[in-house]
Amino acid sequence: MNAYVVSGDRRLLEALRISGDYESVSSVSKDMAAVLLMGERTESKRDSLLKTARTLVSNPSVPAPETSLSPGDVWIVSDVLLDMHELFTLRSLYPANRIIYLLSNGTDPLTLKTTQSLCAAQGINYVLPYHTPEQVADEAGKICLIKARTVSKVITAIGALPQLGVTSSLLSIGVTLAALSGVKVGIFGLNGWNPGDSGLIYSAKYMDELWGSLQGKQLQAAELQSKMQLLAPNVYYLAGSRDLKKLYYYQTDGVSWLIEKARECFDLVLLDAGSYPDHALAAQSIHASDLLLVYMSQSQQAKAQWRRMCEHILHPVFQWEQRQSMLLFNKMIRSPDIENEKQLSRQLEMPYVGSLPYDPSFYRKEAEVGWCHPHNHDYNKELGKIAKAMLHYYDLPLVHTSAVETTKHTDSAAGSSKGSWFRWMKPVKEA
């Protein structure tokens, strides 16, 4: 199988060659593609031009085939170079070849959704935005060779609204996972709008401090743990970016590198994507995850904002409807005047994995710079349910952990024991 790439990204060409999925990978410029698409050109002349394109392969070890396109060949086309009309012309000229359209993220979600629908109608495959060149090559390989998706051991949390307690509860879930199973858990703040260090005496590195070594792909898995805060035995946390102006400075390559190194370093990786996913930090966390946790509250605003987010971003940009997602309710209040988790789950048409109760002492504990989780049995019980569901999802066994091991914590990890947020942790048997 030969690949013809209509894209200006040289890194994509290199990634496709390194993948080893193709006999040859040929770059086709926009001008050459325009000649191919001219109606007055005969098929023999088009094939001659394609032979020329094959001889322009930058890798000299790849021989230039002397034959015309075979039915198994594939076109990988960027929407930056060819529009939909040109793409359909290409489809009509080469009906026996597979075509993969690389979509970019525009300002109009309806246009992106329409493009996907038209591609489906014409039998054209496509790759969604916010992928690195290596990820595009991997997605193309899955399409052409029907490769199975690998398990990443990554779980991403996203909030319907800001201030739903995504970060604080995700840290608690990470501690519970490690206590119940003994696995090594890494938690990463990929919010972009909030570093996620509120209420915590944080002394480790932040995302913005590591960005240069991430974008340059210099930071290695062996170094990552030393840059993070030890929260509990086998639980490490890297806080997010403190600089709001850098949100759109972060690029997919650096975030992808961080997640890949995290997977090498930890048994389970939890990513905090915040409540606005249309940037590289959150987008990569969604692409990399096996399971998506959607944080929801009982407010009408949360439901309305979630539906807007799905319509404008999640469905057209990430195809959310095809992803494995579950609701996780936080700050829940028990009252006959307010909808409960079962009613909300039916309305939002998603299953829910847990329901964390509201704790009125949250803000006092946050101000004390201890930790902001309540010391009550109901909260612990729900945490245990959520953690056990995640462990079951990955077929990870439970281990017997004593109360001493569960609550063990040093002053250097997250502040003094007087203000420690680990005081709320109960023995795992009770959770």
Side-chain angles (χ1 to χ4, degrees):
M1 173 171 49
N2 304 302
Y4 298 91
V5 186
V6 187
S7 170
D9 192 343
R10 303 298 300 181
R11 297 176 305 161
L12 175 58
L13 291 170
E14 187 63 23
L16 289 167
R17 292 179 185 126
I18 292 175
S19 70
D21 294 335
Y22 312 96
E23 295 179 20
S24 69
V25 178
S26 305
S27 176
V28 180
S29 67
K30 182 176 175 61
D31 292 338
M32 187 177 293
V35 173
L36 292 172
L37 299 177
M38 290 173 61
E40 65 270 22
R41 293 286 181 178
T42 65
E43 185 174 349
S44 60
K45 290 183 178 180
R46 289 197 300 267
D47 289 342
S48 176
L49 286 167
L50 286 174
K51 291 178 185 177
T52 303
R54 288 175 178 176
T55 63
L56 297 177
V57 178
S58 62
N59 185 352
S61 63
V62 179
E66 295 298 331
T67 60
S68 60
L69 265 72
S70 63
D73 290 345
V74 58
W75 289 85
I76 300 175
V77 182
S78 170
D79 65 355
V80 176
L81 297 187
L82 295 188
D83 60 27
M84 290 297 294
H85 299 290
E86 294 168 320
L87 185 72
F88 292 160
T89 303
L90 185 69
R91 167 84 289 171
S92 64
L93 291 175
Y94 303 102
N97 296 136
R98 189 184 296 274
I99 298 178
I100 301 175
Y101 203 32
L102 308 183
L103 303 179
S104 53
N105 189 27
T107 57
D108 185 3
L110 182 58
T111 299
L112 185 58
K113 194 69 176 177
T114 302
T115 300
Q116 295 172 7
S117 300
L118 292 173
C119 286
Q122 295 288 331
I124 297 172
N125 300 102
Y126 53 85
V127 176
L128 297 170
Y130 283 125
H131 283 86
T132 66
E134 294 77 13
Q135 290 170 338
V136 171
D138 184 57
E139 290 295 317
K142 290 175 183 176
I143 293 171
C144 296
L145 305 175
I146 317 179
K147 293 181 178 180
R149 179 183 175 86
T150 58
V151 177
S152 67
K153 297 293 181 72
V154 174
I155 297 174
T156 294
I158 182 171
L161 286 175
Q163 300 301 311
L164 282 184
V166 175
T167 305
S168 57
S169 59
L170 198 62
L171 296 181
S172 301
I173 291 171
V175 172
T176 308
L177 283 167
L180 286 174
S181 66
V183 297
K184 194 175 180 181
V185 180
I187 308 169
F188 296 83
L190 299 181
N191 186 331
W193 295 104
N194 186 344
D197 59 353
S198 180
L200 176 67
I201 300 176
Y202 189 80
S203 57
K205 296 293 185 180
Y206 287 82
M207 172 72 70
D208 50 280
E209 293 180 276
L210 299 179
W211 185 249
S213 60
L214 291 173
Q215 189 64 25
K217 298 185 178 181
Q218 299 299 313
L219 184 68
Q220 300 301 316
E223 308 171 68
L224 184 57
Q225 186 173 302
S226 65
K227 311 292 184 182
M228 302 173 69
Q229 181 99 351
L230 176 66
L231 294 180
N234 288 327
V235 183
Y236 294 81
Y237 176 52
L238 178 68
S241 175
R242 297 164 298 178
D243 191 341
L244 293 177
K245 293 183 179 180
K246 285 186 177 178
L247 177 61
Y248 294 102
Y249 169 77
Y250 300 120
Q251 299 175 23
T252 55
D253 299 77
V255 191
S256 174
W257 183 260
L258 172 63
I259 296 173
E260 185 59 35
K261 298 303 110 179
R263 291 177 57 208
E264 295 177 19
C265 187
F266 299 101
D267 300 313
L268 282 179
V269 178
L270 306 182
L271 304 179
D272 175 7
S275 59
Y276 183 71
D278 200 19
H279 55 87
L281 295 176
Q284 276 294 304
S285 69
I286 293 173
H287 282 316
S289 63
D290 299 315
L291 180 65
L292 297 158
L293 296 179
V294 180
Y295 273 72
M296 183 63 60
S297 71
Q298 292 160 294
S299 74
Q300 297 300 311
Q301 183 186 11
K303 288 193 297 183
Q305 180 66 7
W306 175 251
R307 290 186 174 115
R308 278 194 294 269
M309 193 188 302
C310 286
E311 179 184 355
H312 297 166
I313 301 173
L314 295 176
H315 287 323
V317 179
F318 299 104
Q319 291 191 334
W320 186 272
E321 63 275 12
Q322 298 180 16
R323 298 181 176 274
Q324 181 67 46
S325 56
M326 290 185 179
L327 288 166
L328 197 161
F329 296 100
N330 198 21
K331 301 183 180 181
M332 294 293 285
I333 299 173
R334 300 296 174 191
S335 170
D337 300 325
I338 308 177
E339 294 166 316
N340 60 34
E341 55 268 64
K342 292 183 180 179
Q343 293 169 320
L344 291 168
S345 178
R346 285 194 295 267
Q347 292 173 22
L348 296 168
E349 299 181 333
M350 275 193 291
Y352 73 94
V353 67
S355 178
L356 299 171
Y358 172 74
D359 175 42
S361 66
F362 178 95
Y363 297 105
R364 175 180 59 80
K365 292 183 179 181
E366 183 183 31
E368 291 175 353
V369 194
W371 191 250
C372 41
H373 271 300
H375 187 125
N376 68 60
H377 175 74
D378 291 339
Y379 201 98
N380 292 336
K381 183 178 179 181
E382 287 299 311
L383 272 180
K385 286 169 54 180
I386 295 166
K388 287 176 182 177
M390 292 179 180
L391 293 172
H392 179 76
Y393 183 85
Y394 288 112
D395 293 324
L396 295 173
L398 299 176
V399 297
H400 296 291
T401 308
S402 67
V404 174
E405 291 173 325
T406 304
T407 57
K408 182 180 179 182
H409 182 48
T410 61
D411 291 346
S412 62
S416 66
S417 59
K418 181 178 179 181
S420 173
W421 61 280
F422 286 88
R423 291 181 297 168
W424 69 266
M425 288 292 290
K426 290 188 175 183
V428 175
K429 291 186 293 185
E430 295 182 31

